[in-house]
Amino acid sequence: MAALGALVKKVWSVRRVLVLLCAPLALVPVLLSLPPKEGRCLYVILLMALYWCTEALPLAVTALLPIVLFPFLGILPSNKVCPQYFLDTNFLFLSGLIMASAIEEWNLHRRIALRVLMLVGVQPARLILGMMLTTSFLSMWLSNTASTAMMLPIANAILKSLFGEKDTSKNMNREHEEIQASLQQNKLYTVPTELQFLASTEDKDLTEEKEVASDALSDLKKEEEYKTNIWKGFLISIPYAASIGGTATLTGTAPNLILLGQLKSYFPECDVVNFGSWFMFAFPLMLIFLLVGWLWISILYGGINLRGWRTKKSNIRVDAEARAREVIKEDYQKLGPTKFAEQAIFFFFCMFAIMLFSRDPKFIPGWASLFAPGFISDAVTGITIVIILFFFPSQKPSFRWWFDFKAPNTEIQPLLTWRKAQETVPWNIILLLGGGFAMAKGCEESGLSVWIGGRLHPLEGVPPPVAVILITIVIALFTEFASNTATIIIFLPVLAELAIRLKVNPLYLMIPGTIGCSYAFMLPVSTPPNSIAFSSGHLMVKDMARTGLLMNLMGVLLLSLAMNTWAKSIFQLGTFPAWANIHAENATLLLPAVENVTFSALNKI
């Protein structure tokens, strides 16, 4: 096994080297077949997309390539590329990451999770619902990966209390099958030990005993299948809920913020997307999808039995649920009484959410209207709150020192230290966001986005609602094999130009594309949460494929429903906005020149 692992690593390392060396040479024809500036920009984008999809380089390192390649190839000067890595959108995401780090530091997320599980009950379907609600809520503020990694140990502890050790039950079942096979080989009756004793005394009861034994074996098999299915349902619901929950807030997942950043780059006058408006649109969609997903998972894995919902529960299941209830209660009691630090973090967390939501909710004037227009953004709000965490005390302040000069002068520990933030905040995500913004800026400045728009005229006859469904399906399938961040970075410029060609609000296509990147449910490699759940060893690829296929389909349909109903009033999707019209006019002026250069370049080949 170790030799096989070493061989796989060696093959993977050779593959990475081949991709690193061959990809730049294989993409050279792109430079020759397009206008000079547009061709060079497309060359960089395709190279980055290839590196992102194959992970030949770490994702964050690939995101740094525009800093080197754009200036060298004459696409953008360095003073325009580098600022893209530290836009205010990056700082909004950074504030969310730091807040999540403080929540994890004081175990507030675990207290919330256990409290919710105590409230929903311990029946399998209710527990799956509790797991999904808790994971999705945490994923709105923490990263999807962190939410999954925190909830899976809790799920495993509950499952063990319900059903015992999964591996032990497998071994017992295997031994039982071996015993049955040996008995059948020797033409002996397959009956339990107690029945064998009774059978040796009375021959007349042999037929009845065989029937009882057969019923017992059938019940045992059904119980074992029930346990296995519930175990799978628990484990598969957590990563799915994390992916769904991350779509509800702008800071929940990286693609949402990439959308915000690219909107500011392409359409500087667009101000309809902020934390409040996004939450009003995405939170109801998340709740509906979460409920539908819970029903599907519960029915598929036996949490809800449509046929036998009136049947009385066996004593074994009643005892198991009582044990699970005790495990949850015991874990909650281990946390002890609520600490001052937890109360403080919860207060600042609520302030963080309320201030972001109320800054500029659009339907009423927000508190940002008290300041000069354009000066206060979501990044200012988020960073203001998280700065407080670095000096606010983690223990209840005492004023004894001011009145008693002999009192010890002890150092006060803040809610979050910079060392802890350095260790827990995934800084590579900031670089990944910056790479996406730099790529978008290069597409805009080089004219590549205009060139792409000129090639999309066959799609002009597609009705916009159909285009939304097709775009979501394509991106959801693409993100099954590639990083969701890399996927949205590649697709957003194309969607922006397609919307201009179709004369529809760009948000009508860009928002479904963004959320569709989070709907990756079918494969273990699709997202880190899926990989974490799959690594538990209790799930198979076919389990995720059959569950995720319908989840993807439901996500596409629900997203299309949301875009054509309440999203229209929130983002004014019914009209072609003025901020998009300005960009369209500029693109129209550039397009004839670009097309002439394109045709002359193609004629020379």
Side-chain angles (χ1 to χ4, degrees):
M1 200 67 187
L4 180 62
L7 179 63
V8 170
K9 287 182 180 178
K10 189 176 292 185
V11 170
W12 174 243
S13 62
V14 171
R15 178 188 168 194
R16 288 178 61 184
V17 172
L18 288 175
V19 172
L20 281 169
L21 296 178
C22 297
L25 298 176
L27 294 174
V28 168
V30 175
L31 293 171
L32 304 176
S33 60
L34 293 179
K37 205 167 184 179
E38 291 87 341
R40 291 193 293 268
C41 185
L42 184 60
Y43 174 82
V44 175
I45 289 172
L46 291 177
L47 183 64
M48 292 175 67
L50 191 59
Y51 282 173
W52 268 329
C53 292
T54 60
E55 295 190 25
L57 286 174
L59 297 180
V61 176
T62 302
L64 295 174
L65 288 179
I67 297 178
V68 178
L69 296 180
F70 278 0
F72 271 124
L73 296 176
I75 300 168
L76 272 182
S78 177
N79 62 355
K80 286 190 176 181
V81 179
C82 292
Q84 303 302 315
Y85 288 80
F86 288 97
L87 297 174
D88 61 342
T89 307
N90 299 64
F91 283 97
L92 172 60
F93 194 47
L94 179 61
S95 67
L97 295 175
I98 294 175
M99 177 60 71
S101 178
I103 290 172
E104 293 179 34
E105 170 71 5
W106 296 103
N107 256 342
L108 178 61
H109 57 321
R110 187 174 181 83
R111 187 179 292 277
I112 293 172
L114 292 172
R115 191 65 184 172
V116 171
L117 293 177
M118 290 171 65
L119 291 173
V120 297
V122 292
Q123 290 82 4
R126 290 188 179 184
L127 274 177
I128 291 175
L129 178 61
M131 286 286 177
M132 294 185 74
L133 287 173
T134 308
T135 307
S136 60
F137 174 75
L138 293 175
S139 186
M140 289 165 58
W141 315 102
L142 311 179
S143 71
N144 299 351
T145 307
S147 303
T148 305
M150 191 276 292
M151 290 300 295
L152 276 176
I154 297 176
N156 278 320
I158 295 170
L159 288 167
K160 286 174 184 176
S161 66
L162 278 170
F163 305 131
E165 290 285 348
K166 189 76 173 67
D167 296 334
T168 305
S169 63
K170 279 184 178 177
N171 294 334
M172 289 174 64
N173 193 40
R174 192 180 298 113
E175 289 174 7
H176 180 73
E177 289 174 357
E178 290 173 0
I179 292 170
Q180 301 305 315
S182 65
L183 288 171
Q184 288 173 3
Q185 252 186 352
N186 294 291
K187 298 184 179 180
L188 297 174
Y189 295 114
T190 55
V191 292
T193 307
E194 294 85 355
L195 296 178
Q196 285 178 357
F197 173 75
L198 293 173
S200 65
T201 58
E202 295 185 19
D203 293 337
K204 64 179 181 179
D205 295 332
L206 186 58
T207 305
E208 295 178 5
E209 289 165 2
K210 285 197 297 181
E211 291 176 358
V212 173
S214 177
D215 292 341
L217 289 173
S218 177
D219 291 343
L220 181 63
K221 187 177 180 181
K222 287 180 181 177
E223 192 69 19
E224 192 63 33
E225 288 178 357
Y226 172 77
K227 291 178 183 180
T228 302
N229 283 334
I230 292 296
W231 199 291
K232 289 180 179 180
F234 263 76
L235 296 181
I236 211 167
S237 67
I238 292 173
Y240 288 1
S243 297
I244 296 169
T247 63
T249 61
L250 273 180
T251 56
T253 186
N256 297 355
L257 285 169
I258 291 173
L259 168 68
L260 182 63
Q262 294 208 8
L263 279 175
K264 290 181 178 178
S265 177
Y266 274 92
F267 311 107
E269 301 299 321
C270 176
D271 62 346
V272 296
V273 178
N274 56 40
F275 191 93
S277 61
W278 182 272
F279 186 83
M280 290 171 60
F281 156 71
F283 185 70
L285 174 62
M286 181 207 78
L287 287 180
I288 297 171
F289 194 11
L290 207 64
L291 179 61
V292 174
W294 166 70
L295 287 173
W296 166 235
I297 292 171
S298 298
I299 293 171
L300 183 63
Y301 291 100
I304 296 177
N305 189 351
L306 296 179
R307 291 182 179 178
W309 63 277
R310 289 183 179 178
T311 57
K312 187 178 179 181
K313 281 190 288 189
S314 65
N315 292 331
I316 297 174
R317 293 188 187 178
V318 172
D319 293 341
E321 290 175 5
R323 288 197 305 272
R325 191 181 295 108
E326 288 301 318
V327 167
I328 297 172
K329 190 180 295 184
E330 184 180 347
D331 283 352
Y332 187 79
Q333 289 173 350
K334 284 179 182 177
L335 295 175
T338 307
K339 304 179 186 68
F340 175 80
E342 291 179 68
Q343 296 173 348
I345 287 292
F346 184 74
F347 171 77
F348 286 118
F349 167 70
C350 293
M351 286 293 296
F352 180 82
I354 291 170
M355 289 186 69
L356 284 174
F357 184 83
S358 61
R359 181 187 69 84
D360 187 17
K362 298 301 178 185
F363 58 91
I364 57 171
W367 59 265
S369 60
L370 301 175
F371 301 89
F375 274 66
I376 304 296
S377 67
D378 286 337
V380 176
T381 308
I383 293 296
T384 301
I385 296 295
V386 299
I387 284 176
I388 300 174
L389 302 179
F390 289 98
F391 65 81
F392 196 87
S394 60
Q395 296 178 352
K396 193 172 183 178
S398 173
F399 297 99
R400 182 184 171 192
W401 183 82
W402 292 95
F403 304 103
D404 186 0
F405 294 104
K406 294 181 181 180
N409 185 15
T410 56
E411 186 177 356
I412 297 176
Q413 182 185 2
L415 291 172
L416 186 65
T417 63
W418 183 246
R419 181 181 295 276
K420 186 66 179 178
Q422 282 180 307
E423 294 172 355
T424 56
V425 172
W427 301 97
N428 59 321
I429 301 295
I430 304 299
L431 295 179
L432 200 57
L433 286 175
F437 298 149
M439 183 187 287
K441 192 69 175 176
C443 288
E444 181 186 2
E445 294 284 337
S446 67
L448 178 63
S449 59
V450 177
W451 183 88
I452 291 173
R455 312 276 80 75
L456 296 176
H457 57 83
L459 297 174
E460 291 181 13
V462 178
V466 177
V468 168
I469 294 177
L470 292 176
I471 286 166
T472 311
I473 290 174
V474 170
I475 291 180
L477 290 176
F478 191 87
T479 196
E480 295 286 351
F481 306 96
S483 160
N484 58 356
T485 307
T487 301
I488 198 60
I489 288 171
I490 295 167
F491 277 94
L492 272 184
V494 178
L495 296 180
E497 293 301 328
L498 176 59
I500 290 173
R501 299 289 298 186
L502 295 176
K503 287 295 179 182
V504 299
N505 191 314
L507 295 176
Y508 190 66
L509 300 184
M510 296 174 79
I511 290 176
T514 302
I515 295 182
C517 282
S518 297
Y519 291 169
F521 304 114
M522 290 180 60
L523 297 175
V525 297
S526 301
T527 61
N530 288 10
S531 301
I532 293 172
F534 185 78
S535 65
S536 65
H538 301 306
L539 291 172
M540 293 185 289
V541 175
K542 67 177 183 180
D543 296 324
M544 282 196 165
R546 69 169 182 164
T547 312
L549 179 62
L550 190 60
M551 289 288 290
N552 274 7
L553 181 61
M554 291 188 299
V556 170
L557 295 178
L558 289 173
L559 181 56
S560 177
L561 174 66
M563 292 304 301
N564 290 287
T565 51
W566 66 86
K568 279 195 171 182
S569 59
I570 294 174
F571 299 115
Q572 295 93 45
L573 300 180
T575 58
F576 191 68
W579 49 264
N581 202 33
I582 295 172
H583 184 87
E585 289 172 359
N586 295 335
T588 305
L589 293 174
L590 289 172
L591 191 57
V594 171
E595 288 180 343
N596 291 336
V597 175
T598 304
F599 290 134
S600 61
L602 290 174
N603 290 332
K604 292 177 182 178
I605 297 175

